[in-house]
Amino acid sequence: MSSEDREAQEDELLALASIYDGDEFRKAESVQGGETRIYLDLPQNFKIFVSGNSNECLQNSGFEYTICFLPPLVLNFELPPDYPSSSPPSFTLSGKWLSPTQLSALCKHLDNLWEEHRGSVVLFAWMQFLKEETLAYLNIVSPFELKIGSPKKVQRRTAQASPNTELDFGGAAGSDVDQEEIVDERAVQDVESLSNLIQEILDFDQAQQIKCFNSKLFLCNICFCEKLGSECMYFLECRHVYCKACLKDYFEIQIRDGQVQCLNCPEPKCPSVATPGQVKELVEAELFARYDRLLLQSTLDLMADVVYCPRPCCQLPVMQEPGCTMGICSSCNFAFCTLCRLTYHGVSPCKVTAEKLMDLRNEYLQADEPNKRLLEQRYGKRVIQKALEELESKEWLEKNSKNCPCCGTPIEVNVLGQSRRPSAL
């Protein structure tokens, strides 16, 4: 290795280390080389999809998702002793979301860039091209179809091609040319299956969005203080941001008051609701247990086919079969009527206590015709008639009699001034 080549390599590696952070560039320890990660800037509302044209895609057919970030392209390189005077860097280019054919096209263009810069350092030009021109060079637009290369294809380099030859791509879906003829051995699609690719893209996109959110400043509209995103939380539906300290106090007050269904965004008239995971992150474990219990109970209360075991020591939810009035508790095995909550009585009408009789009468008088028929079916028409008769008797006694001062029995005063006990109605 000439001293000029050695000095040029050292200067280039030192410059790359000063330009890029540790996540984007890492120098190798044992050899003269390193690894660069290329993070592409995607246009807004960039969509990826799976068409389901192959058997492997059938279970993911119809998948479409809007993302902000894609996993990086990884360029591993090693500098030969006569670089940059004579030989180019040896390299591999790997990516998860580009097909082997598309990666091969990028490798070919890196070779062409070397021919243009022969005798000079080229790594920075390679990295700039990959970061700024990959999407346009491969004609990748939204929506972008995800594909993986066939493992049965024999990969071989296309070094025999002319240095000025460019691989033609017909859009985001890739080329129709036989992949076996254009796949470069330096192009590596580092993914096991299409399902894994989808999951890795979504996980990476979520992680990068969290990273970007944590590094930004936001104004909390509760305390009116600017804080980093790492100290804040946003509601998933509306994206309104508040600091964690304010939301913690807000959640704790609502949970202590039993308002677990009202942990919504503090913005006026905003319907967004906090997720259980967000609540768990902010409040104490004991308070979250109360929230979880009350949330489950309120959810069960809204379900028409769920009743609770009437035994005070049990109170577990019981699923009610359609058209059946019998419930059997899975914990204590108590069989009860789901209408009156007493021991199951078969087809016999529900028994009505004296206190319930007055409520039943009022409920029947205020009900419409369908609900009146339902009450008659539940308690029996005779029971309801009895309740109505007792109401009429009570009203007549209050109007036409008064209690005896000695024994308290209702008495009626006739027109002759004589007192007598009223006859039964």
Side-chain angles (χ1 to χ4, degrees), residues 22-45:
D23 187 45
E24 295 177 294
F25 174 77
R26 183 171 56 191
K27 185 179 180 300
E29 297 181 358
S30 58
V31 296
Q32 217 35 10
E35 176 183 279
T36 63
R37 294 178 177 270
I38 313 298
Y39 296 89
L40 274 61
D41 296 326
L42 300 181
Q44 287 188 346
N45 299 320

mmCIF file with all atom_site columns, all heavy atoms in Angstrom, residues 22-45:
data_model
loop_
_atom_site.group_PDB
_atom_site.id
_atom_site.type_symbol
_atom_site.label_atom_id
_atom_site.label_alt_id
_atom_site.label_comp_id
_atom_site.label_asym_id
_atom_site.label_entity_id
_atom_site.label_seq_id
_atom_site.pdbx_PDB_ins_code
_atom_site.Cartn_x
_atom_site.Cartn_y
_atom_site.Cartn_z
_atom_site.occupancy
_atom_site.B_iso_or_equiv
_atom_site.pdbx_formal_charge
_atom_site.auth_seq_id
_atom_site.auth_comp_id
_atom_site.auth_asym_id
_atom_site.auth_atom_id
_atom_site.pdbx_PDB_model_num
ATOM 1   N N   . GLY A 1 22 ? -23.004 7.563  15.123 1.00 0.00 ? 22 GLY A N   1
ATOM 2   C CA  . GLY A 1 22 ? -22.662 6.156  15.294 1.00 0.00 ? 22 GLY A CA  1
ATOM 3   C C   . GLY A 1 22 ? -23.691 5.201  14.741 1.00 0.00 ? 22 GLY A C   1
ATOM 4   O O   . GLY A 1 22 ? -23.364 4.040  14.440 1.00 0.00 ? 22 GLY A O   1
ATOM 5   N N   . ASP A 1 23 ? -24.943 5.660  14.600 1.00 0.00 ? 23 ASP A N   1
ATOM 6   C CA  . ASP A 1 23 ? -25.966 4.780  14.063 1.00 0.00 ? 23 ASP A CA  1
ATOM 7   C C   . ASP A 1 23 ? -25.899 4.703  12.543 1.00 0.00 ? 23 ASP A C   1
ATOM 8   O O   . ASP A 1 23 ? -26.380 3.743  11.939 1.00 0.00 ? 23 ASP A O   1
ATOM 9   C CB  . ASP A 1 23 ? -27.348 5.283  14.492 1.00 0.00 ? 23 ASP A CB  1
ATOM 10  C CG  . ASP A 1 23 ? -28.461 4.322  14.109 1.00 0.00 ? 23 ASP A CG  1
ATOM 11  O OD1 . ASP A 1 23 ? -28.304 3.106  14.325 1.00 0.00 ? 23 ASP A OD1 1
ATOM 12  O OD2 . ASP A 1 23 ? -29.486 4.782  13.569 1.00 0.00 ? 23 ASP A OD2 1
ATOM 13  N N   . GLU A 1 24 ? -25.275 5.699  11.901 1.00 0.00 ? 24 GLU A N   1
ATOM 14  C CA  . GLU A 1 24 ? -25.199 5.729  10.446 1.00 0.00 ? 24 GLU A CA  1
ATOM 15  C C   . GLU A 1 24 ? -23.872 5.220  9.902  1.00 0.00 ? 24 GLU A C   1
ATOM 16  O O   . GLU A 1 24 ? -23.822 4.656  8.803  1.00 0.00 ? 24 GLU A O   1
ATOM 17  C CB  . GLU A 1 24 ? -25.435 7.154  9.941  1.00 0.00 ? 24 GLU A CB  1
ATOM 18  C CG  . GLU A 1 24 ? -26.827 7.693  10.215 1.00 0.00 ? 24 GLU A CG  1
ATOM 19  C CD  . GLU A 1 24 ? -26.981 9.123  9.755  1.00 0.00 ? 24 GLU A CD  1
ATOM 20  O OE1 . GLU A 1 24 ? -26.309 10.000 10.344 1.00 0.00 ? 24 GLU A OE1 1
ATOM 21  O OE2 . GLU A 1 24 ? -27.753 9.374  8.809  1.00 0.00 ? 24 GLU A OE2 1
ATOM 22  N N   . PHE A 1 25 ? -22.792 5.403  10.639 1.00 0.00 ? 25 PHE A N   1
ATOM 23  C CA  . PHE A 1 25 ? -21.476 4.953  10.167 1.00 0.00 ? 25 PHE A CA  1
ATOM 24  C C   . PHE A 1 25 ? -20.685 4.338  11.315 1.00 0.00 ? 25 PHE A C   1
ATOM 25  O O   . PHE A 1 25 ? -20.640 4.880  12.417 1.00 0.00 ? 25 PHE A O   1
ATOM 26  C CB  . PHE A 1 25 ? -20.679 6.123  9.575  1.00 0.00 ? 25 PHE A CB  1
ATOM 27  C CG  . PHE A 1 25 ? -19.270 5.748  9.195  1.00 0.00 ? 25 PHE A CG  1
ATOM 28  C CD1 . PHE A 1 25 ? -19.024 5.036  8.043  1.00 0.00 ? 25 PHE A CD1 1
ATOM 29  C CD2 . PHE A 1 25 ? -18.207 6.090  10.024 1.00 0.00 ? 25 PHE A CD2 1
ATOM 30  C CE1 . PHE A 1 25 ? -17.724 4.675  7.698  1.00 0.00 ? 25 PHE A CE1 1
ATOM 31  C CE2 . PHE A 1 25 ? -16.909 5.741  9.688  1.00 0.00 ? 25 PHE A CE2 1
ATOM 32  C CZ  . PHE A 1 25 ? -16.661 5.031  8.528  1.00 0.00 ? 25 PHE A CZ  1
ATOM 33  N N   . ARG A 1 26 ? -20.094 3.186  11.016 1.00 0.00 ? 26 ARG A N   1
ATOM 34  C CA  . ARG A 1 26 ? -19.268 2.509  12.022 1.00 0.00 ? 26 ARG A CA  1
ATOM 35  C C   . ARG A 1 26 ? -18.043 1.920  11.327 1.00 0.00 ? 26 ARG A C   1
ATOM 36  O O   . ARG A 1 26 ? -18.166 1.133  10.390 1.00 0.00 ? 26 ARG A O   1
ATOM 37  C CB  . ARG A 1 26 ? -20.066 1.406  12.704 1.00 0.00 ? 26 ARG A CB  1
ATOM 38  C CG  . ARG A 1 26 ? -19.315 0.689  13.827 1.00 0.00 ? 26 ARG A CG  1
ATOM 39  C CD  . ARG A 1 26 ? -20.256 -0.229 14.571 1.00 0.00 ? 26 ARG A CD  1
ATOM 40  N NE  . ARG A 1 26 ? -20.883 -1.179 13.649 1.00 0.00 ? 26 ARG A NE  1
ATOM 41  C CZ  . ARG A 1 26 ? -21.903 -1.956 13.979 1.00 0.00 ? 26 ARG A CZ  1
ATOM 42  N NH1 . ARG A 1 26 ? -22.432 -1.860 15.185 1.00 0.00 ? 26 ARG A NH1 1
ATOM 43  N NH2 . ARG A 1 26 ? -22.396 -2.803 13.100 1.00 0.00 ? 26 ARG A NH2 1
ATOM 44  N N   . LYS A 1 27 ? -16.876 2.314  11.789 1.00 0.00 ? 27 LYS A N   1
ATOM 45  C CA  . LYS A 1 27 ? -15.609 1.832  11.220 1.00 0.00 ? 27 LYS A CA  1
ATOM 46  C C   . LYS A 1 27 ? -15.295 0.442  11.745 1.00 0.00 ? 27 LYS A C   1
ATOM 47  O O   . LYS A 1 27 ? -15.505 0.152  12.916 1.00 0.00 ? 27 LYS A O   1
ATOM 48  C CB  . LYS A 1 27 ? -14.483 2.806  11.571 1.00 0.00 ? 27 LYS A CB  1
ATOM 49  C CG  . LYS A 1 27 ? -13.141 2.477  10.944 1.00 0.00 ? 27 LYS A CG  1
ATOM 50  C CD  . LYS A 1 27 ? -12.110 3.508  11.323 1.00 0.00 ? 27 LYS A CD  1
ATOM 51  C CE  . LYS A 1 27 ? -10.747 3.179  10.697 1.00 0.00 ? 27 LYS A CE  1
ATOM 52  N NZ  . LYS A 1 27 ? -10.220 1.868  11.137 1.00 0.00 ? 27 LYS A NZ  1
ATOM 53  N N   . ALA A 1 28 ? -14.818 -0.417 10.848 1.00 0.00 ? 28 ALA A N   1
ATOM 54  C CA  . ALA A 1 28 ? -14.436 -1.772 11.251 1.00 0.00 ? 28 ALA A CA  1
ATOM 55  C C   . ALA A 1 28 ? -13.158 -1.720 12.081 1.00 0.00 ? 28 ALA A C   1
ATOM 56  O O   . ALA A 1 28 ? -12.307 -0.835 11.904 1.00 0.00 ? 28 ALA A O   1
ATOM 57  C CB  . ALA A 1 28 ? -14.240 -2.651 10.029 1.00 0.00 ? 28 ALA A CB  1
ATOM 58  N N   . GLU A 1 29 ? -13.009 -2.677 12.984 1.00 0.00 ? 29 GLU A N   1
ATOM 59  C CA  . GLU A 1 29 ? -11.853 -2.683 13.872 1.00 0.00 ? 29 GLU A CA  1
ATOM 60  C C   . GLU A 1 29 ? -10.682 -3.478 13.300 1.00 0.00 ? 29 GLU A C   1
ATOM 61  O O   . GLU A 1 29 ? -9.530  -3.082 13.437 1.00 0.00 ? 29 GLU A O   1
ATOM 62  C CB  . GLU A 1 29 ? -12.250 -3.275 15.240 1.00 0.00 ? 29 GLU A CB  1
ATOM 63  C CG  . GLU A 1 29 ? -13.296 -2.451 15.973 1.00 0.00 ? 29 GLU A CG  1
ATOM 64  C CD  . GLU A 1 29 ? -13.640 -3.056 17.314 1.00 0.00 ? 29 GLU A CD  1
ATOM 65  O OE1 . GLU A 1 29 ? -13.092 -4.129 17.637 1.00 0.00 ? 29 GLU A OE1 1
ATOM 66  O OE2 . GLU A 1 29 ? -14.473 -2.459 18.040 1.00 0.00 ? 29 GLU A OE2 1
ATOM 67  N N   . SER A 1 30 ? -10.976 -4.596 12.646 1.00 0.00 ? 30 SER A N   1
ATOM 68  C CA  . SER A 1 30 ? -9.892  -5.492 12.215 1.00 0.00 ? 30 SER A CA  1
ATOM 69  C C   . SER A 1 30 ? -9.391  -5.199 10.811 1.00 0.00 ? 30 SER A C   1
ATOM 70  O O   . SER A 1 30 ? -8.252  -5.536 10.472 1.00 0.00 ? 30 SER A O   1
ATOM 71  C CB  . SER A 1 30 ? -10.359 -6.952 12.285 1.00 0.00 ? 30 SER A CB  1
ATOM 72  O OG  . SER A 1 30 ? -11.513 -7.141 11.478 1.00 0.00 ? 30 SER A OG  1
ATOM 73  N N   . VAL A 1 31 ? -10.218 -4.597 9.965  1.00 0.00 ? 31 VAL A N   1
ATOM 74  C CA  . VAL A 1 31 ? -9.818  -4.331 8.584  1.00 0.00 ? 31 VAL A CA  1
ATOM 75  C C   . VAL A 1 31 ? -10.068 -2.867 8.259  1.00 0.00 ? 31 VAL A C   1
ATOM 76  O O   . VAL A 1 31 ? -10.720 -2.145 9.010  1.00 0.00 ? 31 VAL A O   1
ATOM 77  C CB  . VAL A 1 31 ? -10.602 -5.232 7.589  1.00 0.00 ? 31 VAL A CB  1
ATOM 78  C CG1 . VAL A 1 31 ? -10.272 -6.697 7.807  1.00 0.00 ? 31 VAL A CG1 1
ATOM 79  C CG2 . VAL A 1 31 ? -12.103 -4.979 7.710  1.00 0.00 ? 31 VAL A CG2 1
ATOM 80  N N   . GLN A 1 32 ? -9.557  -2.459 7.116  1.00 0.00 ? 32 GLN A N   1
ATOM 81  C CA  . GLN A 1 32 ? -9.766  -1.105 6.629  1.00 0.00 ? 32 GLN A CA  1
ATOM 82  C C   . GLN A 1 32 ? -11.117 -1.093 5.917  1.00 0.00 ? 32 GLN A C   1
ATOM 83  O O   . GLN A 1 32 ? -11.245 -1.399 4.740  1.00 0.00 ? 32 GLN A O   1
ATOM 84  C CB  . GLN A 1 32 ? -8.653  -0.792 5.659  1.00 0.00 ? 32 GLN A CB  1
ATOM 85  C CG  . GLN A 1 32 ? -8.049  0.527  5.568  1.00 0.00 ? 32 GLN A CG  1
ATOM 86  C CD  . GLN A 1 32 ? -7.830  1.429  6.716  1.00 0.00 ? 32 GLN A CD  1
ATOM 87  O OE1 . GLN A 1 32 ? -7.970  1.103  7.896  1.00 0.00 ? 32 GLN A OE1 1
ATOM 88  N NE2 . GLN A 1 32 ? -7.469  2.621  6.360  1.00 0.00 ? 32 GLN A NE2 1
ATOM 89  N N   . GLY A 1 33 ? -12.164 -0.754 6.662  1.00 0.00 ? 33 GLY A N   1
ATOM 90  C CA  . GLY A 1 33 ? -13.506 -0.770 6.105  1.00 0.00 ? 33 GLY A CA  1
ATOM 91  C C   . GLY A 1 33 ? -14.514 -0.335 7.142  1.00 0.00 ? 33 GLY A C   1
ATOM 92  O O   . GLY A 1 33 ? -14.172 0.288  8.154  1.00 0.00 ? 33 GLY A O   1
ATOM 93  N N   . GLY A 1 34 ? -15.783 -0.664 6.904  1.00 0.00 ? 34 GLY A N   1
ATOM 94  C CA  . GLY A 1 34 ? -16.809 -0.270 7.857  1.00 0.00 ? 34 GLY A CA  1
ATOM 95  C C   . GLY A 1 34 ? -18.192 -0.590 7.343  1.00 0.00 ? 34 GLY A C   1
ATOM 96  O O   . GLY A 1 34 ? -18.378 -1.317 6.354  1.00 0.00 ? 34 GLY A O   1
ATOM 97  N N   . GLU A 1 35 ? -19.194 -0.037 8.034  1.00 0.00 ? 35 GLU A N   1
ATOM 98  C CA  . GLU A 1 35 ? -20.589 -0.267 7.694  1.00 0.00 ? 35 GLU A CA  1
ATOM 99  C C   . GLU A 1 35 ? -21.333 1.060  7.760  1.00 0.00 ? 35 GLU A C   1
ATOM 100 O O   . GLU A 1 35 ? -21.182 1.827  8.715  1.00 0.00 ? 35 GLU A O   1
ATOM 101 C CB  . GLU A 1 35 ? -21.212 -1.271 8.661  1.00 0.00 ? 35 GLU A CB  1
ATOM 102 C CG  . GLU A 1 35 ? -22.700 -1.510 8.439  1.00 0.00 ? 35 GLU A CG  1
ATOM 103 C CD  . GLU A 1 35 ? -23.291 -2.462 9.463  1.00 0.00 ? 35 GLU A CD  1
ATOM 104 O OE1 . GLU A 1 35 ? -23.141 -3.686 9.293  1.00 0.00 ? 35 GLU A OE1 1
ATOM 105 O OE2 . GLU A 1 35 ? -23.890 -1.970 10.448 1.00 0.00 ? 35 GLU A OE2 1
ATOM 106 N N   . THR A 1 36 ? -22.157 1.335  6.769  1.00 0.00 ? 36 THR A N   1
ATOM 107 C CA  . THR A 1 36 ? -22.981 2.533  6.764  1.00 0.00 ? 36 THR A CA  1
ATOM 108 C C   . THR A 1 36 ? -24.443 2.125  6.648  1.00 0.00 ? 36 THR A C   1
ATOM 109 O O   . THR A 1 36 ? -24.786 1.190  5.914  1.00 0.00 ? 36 THR A O   1
ATOM 110 C CB  . THR A 1 36 ? -22.620 3.459  5.586  1.00 0.00 ? 36 THR A CB  1
ATOM 111 O OG1 . THR A 1 36 ? -22.887 2.789  4.350  1.00 0.00 ? 36 THR A OG1 1
ATOM 112 C CG2 . THR A 1 36 ? -21.164 3.852  5.642  1.00 0.00 ? 36 THR A CG2 1
ATOM 113 N N   . ARG A 1 37 ? -25.300 2.821  7.372  1.00 0.00 ? 37 ARG A N   1
ATOM 114 C CA  . ARG A 1 37 ? -26.744 2.598  7.305  1.00 0.00 ? 37 ARG A CA  1
ATOM 115 C C   . ARG A 1 37 ? -27.384 3.819  6.661  1.00 0.00 ? 37 ARG A C   1
ATOM 116 O O   . ARG A 1 37 ? -27.216 4.941  7.140  1.00 0.00 ? 37 ARG A O   1
ATOM 117 C CB  . ARG A 1 37 ? -27.327 2.368  8.705  1.00 0.00 ? 37 ARG A CB  1
ATOM 118 C CG  . ARG A 1 37 ? -26.827 1.078  9.343  1.00 0.00 ? 37 ARG A CG  1
ATOM 119 C CD  . ARG A 1 37 ? -27.374 0.899  10.750 1.00 0.00 ? 37 ARG A CD  1
ATOM 120 N NE  . ARG A 1 37 ? -26.945 -0.366 11.306 1.00 0.00 ? 37 ARG A NE  1
ATOM 121 C CZ  . ARG A 1 37 ? -27.618 -1.515 11.197 1.00 0.00 ? 37 ARG A CZ  1
ATOM 122 N NH1 . ARG A 1 37 ? -28.786 -1.517 10.563 1.00 0.00 ? 37 ARG A NH1 1
ATOM 123 N NH2 . ARG A 1 37 ? -27.163 -2.627 11.710 1.00 0.00 ? 37 ARG A NH2 1
ATOM 124 N N   . ILE A 1 38 ? -28.111 3.576  5.588  1.00 0.00 ? 38 ILE A N   1
ATOM 125 C CA  . ILE A 1 38 ? -28.701 4.665  4.809  1.00 0.00 ? 38 ILE A CA  1
ATOM 126 C C   . ILE A 1 38 ? -30.187 4.751  5.130  1.00 0.00 ? 38 ILE A C   1
ATOM 127 O O   . ILE A 1 38 ? -30.970 3.852  4.792  1.00 0.00 ? 38 ILE A O   1
ATOM 128 C CB  . ILE A 1 38 ? -28.504 4.435  3.291  1.00 0.00 ? 38 ILE A CB  1
ATOM 129 C CG1 . ILE A 1 38 ? -27.048 4.026  2.994  1.00 0.00 ? 38 ILE A CG1 1
ATOM 130 C CG2 . ILE A 1 38 ? -28.921 5.666  2.522  1.00 0.00 ? 38 ILE A CG2 1
ATOM 131 C CD1 . ILE A 1 38 ? -26.027 5.056  3.364  1.00 0.00 ? 38 ILE A CD1 1
ATOM 132 N N   . TYR A 1 39 ? -30.603 5.843  5.793  1.00 0.00 ? 39 TYR A N   1
ATOM 133 C CA  . TYR A 1 39 ? -32.012 6.068  6.136  1.00 0.00 ? 39 TYR A CA  1
ATOM 134 C C   . TYR A 1 39 ? -32.615 7.001  5.099  1.00 0.00 ? 39 TYR A C   1
ATOM 135 O O   . TYR A 1 39 ? -32.205 8.158  4.970  1.00 0.00 ? 39 TYR A O   1
ATOM 136 C CB  . TYR A 1 39 ? -32.140 6.676  7.528  1.00 0.00 ? 39 TYR A CB  1
ATOM 137 C CG  . TYR A 1 39 ? -31.648 5.767  8.621  1.00 0.00 ? 39 TYR A CG  1
ATOM 138 C CD1 . TYR A 1 39 ? -30.303 5.785  9.016  1.00 0.00 ? 39 TYR A CD1 1
ATOM 139 C CD2 . TYR A 1 39 ? -32.508 4.887  9.272  1.00 0.00 ? 39 TYR A CD2 1
ATOM 140 C CE1 . TYR A 1 39 ? -29.843 4.952  10.030 1.00 0.00 ? 39 TYR A CE1 1
ATOM 141 C CE2 . TYR A 1 39 ? -32.058 4.044  10.279 1.00 0.00 ? 39 TYR A CE2 1
ATOM 142 C CZ  . TYR A 1 39 ? -30.721 4.076  10.651 1.00 0.00 ? 39 TYR A CZ  1
ATOM 143 O OH  . TYR A 1 39 ? -30.271 3.246  11.639 1.00 0.00 ? 39 TYR A OH  1
ATOM 144 N N   . LEU A 1 40 ? -33.589 6.517  4.356  1.00 0.00 ? 40 LEU A N   1
ATOM 145 C CA  . LEU A 1 40 ? -34.197 7.303  3.281  1.00 0.00 ? 40 LEU A CA  1
ATOM 146 C C   . LEU A 1 40 ? -35.302 8.212  3.818  1.00 0.00 ? 40 LEU A C   1
ATOM 147 O O   . LEU A 1 40 ? -36.017 7.848  4.755  1.00 0.00 ? 40 LEU A O   1
ATOM 148 C CB  . LEU A 1 40 ? -34.778 6.378  2.210  1.00 0.00 ? 40 LEU A CB  1
ATOM 149 C CG  . LEU A 1 40 ? -33.830 5.903  1.119  1.00 0.00 ? 40 LEU A CG  1
ATOM 150 C CD1 . LEU A 1 40 ? -32.669 5.096  1.698  1.00 0.00 ? 40 LEU A CD1 1
ATOM 151 C CD2 . LEU A 1 40 ? -34.573 5.065  0.085  1.00 0.00 ? 40 LEU A CD2 1
ATOM 152 N N   . ASP A 1 41 ? -35.424 9.380  3.222  1.00 0.00 ? 41 ASP A N   1
ATOM 153 C CA  . ASP A 1 41 ? -36.507 10.311 3.549  1.00 0.00 ? 41 ASP A CA  1
ATOM 154 C C   . ASP A 1 41 ? -37.688 10.008 2.633  1.00 0.00 ? 41 ASP A C   1
ATOM 155 O O   . ASP A 1 41 ? -37.607 10.186 1.409  1.00 0.00 ? 41 ASP A O   1
ATOM 156 C CB  . ASP A 1 41 ? -36.052 11.761 3.362  1.00 0.00 ? 41 ASP A CB  1
ATOM 157 C CG  . ASP A 1 41 ? -34.936 12.135 4.319  1.00 0.00 ? 41 ASP A CG  1
ATOM 158 O OD1 . ASP A 1 41 ? -34.944 11.622 5.451  1.00 0.00 ? 41 ASP A OD1 1
ATOM 159 O OD2 . ASP A 1 41 ? -34.045 12.925 3.917  1.00 0.00 ? 41 ASP A OD2 1
ATOM 160 N N   . LEU A 1 42 ? -38.797 9.563  3.220  1.00 0.00 ? 42 LEU A N   1
ATOM 161 C CA  . LEU A 1 42 ? -39.977 9.185  2.437  1.00 0.00 ? 42 LEU A CA  1
ATOM 162 C C   . LEU A 1 42 ? -40.899 10.386 2.265  1.00 0.00 ? 42 LEU A C   1
ATOM 163 O O   . LEU A 1 42 ? -40.985 11.256 3.138  1.00 0.00 ? 42 LEU A O   1
ATOM 164 C CB  . LEU A 1 42 ? -40.743 8.061  3.134  1.00 0.00 ? 42 LEU A CB  1
ATOM 165 C CG  . LEU A 1 42 ? -39.987 6.751  3.359  1.00 0.00 ? 42 LEU A CG  1
ATOM 166 C CD1 . LEU A 1 42 ? -40.907 5.736  4.045  1.00 0.00 ? 42 LEU A CD1 1
ATOM 167 C CD2 . LEU A 1 42 ? -39.477 6.190  2.053  1.00 0.00 ? 42 LEU A CD2 1
ATOM 168 N N   . PRO A 1 43 ? -41.625 10.449 1.147  1.00 0.00 ? 43 PRO A N   1
ATOM 169 C CA  . PRO A 1 43 ? -42.640 11.503 0.990  1.00 0.00 ? 43 PRO A CA  1
ATOM 170 C C   . PRO A 1 43 ? -43.794 11.285 1.959  1.00 0.00 ? 43 PRO A C   1
ATOM 171 O O   . PRO A 1 43 ? -43.970 10.186 2.494  1.00 0.00 ? 43 PRO A O   1
ATOM 172 C CB  . PRO A 1 43 ? -43.094 11.335 -0.468 1.00 0.00 ? 43 PRO A CB  1
ATOM 173 C CG  . PRO A 1 43 ? -42.740 9.930  -0.834 1.00 0.00 ? 43 PRO A CG  1
ATOM 174 C CD  . PRO A 1 43 ? -41.518 9.584  -0.039 1.00 0.00 ? 43 PRO A CD  1
ATOM 175 N N   . GLN A 1 44 ? -44.587 12.319 2.198  1.00 0.00 ? 44 GLN A N   1
ATOM 176 C CA  . GLN A 1 44 ? -45.717 12.211 3.115  1.00 0.00 ? 44 GLN A CA  1
ATOM 177 C C   . GLN A 1 44 ? -46.753 11.220 2.587  1.00 0.00 ? 44 GLN A C   1
ATOM 178 O O   . GLN A 1 44 ? -46.920 11.040 1.388  1.00 0.00 ? 44 GLN A O   1
ATOM 179 C CB  . GLN A 1 44 ? -46.370 13.580 3.323  1.00 0.00 ? 44 GLN A CB  1
ATOM 180 C CG  . GLN A 1 44 ? -45.555 14.523 4.181  1.00 0.00 ? 44 GLN A CG  1
ATOM 181 C CD  . GLN A 1 44 ? -46.313 15.788 4.514  1.00 0.00 ? 44 GLN A CD  1
ATOM 182 O OE1 . GLN A 1 44 ? -47.342 16.087 3.914  1.00 0.00 ? 44 GLN A OE1 1
ATOM 183 N NE2 . GLN A 1 44 ? -45.818 16.537 5.487  1.00 0.00 ? 44 GLN A NE2 1
ATOM 184 N N   . ASN A 1 45 ? -47.413 10.558 3.560  1.00 0.00 ? 45 ASN A N   1
ATOM 185 C CA  . ASN A 1 45 ? -48.473 9.586  3.247  1.00 0.00 ? 45 ASN A CA  1
ATOM 186 C C   . ASN A 1 45 ? -47.977 8.480  2.319  1.00 0.00 ? 45 ASN A C   1
ATOM 187 O O   . ASN A 1 45 ? -48.678 8.038  1.406  1.00 0.00 ? 45 ASN A O   1
ATOM 188 C CB  . ASN A 1 45 ? -49.684 10.282 2.620  1.00 0.00 ? 45 ASN A CB  1
ATOM 189 C CG  . ASN A 1 45 ? -50.306 11.307 3.551  1.00 0.00 ? 45 ASN A CG  1
ATOM 190 O OD1 . ASN A 1 45 ? -50.413 11.085 4.752  1.00 0.00 ? 45 ASN A OD1 1
ATOM 191 N ND2 . ASN A 1 45 ? -50.697 12.437 2.993  1.00 0.00 ? 45 ASN A ND2 1
#
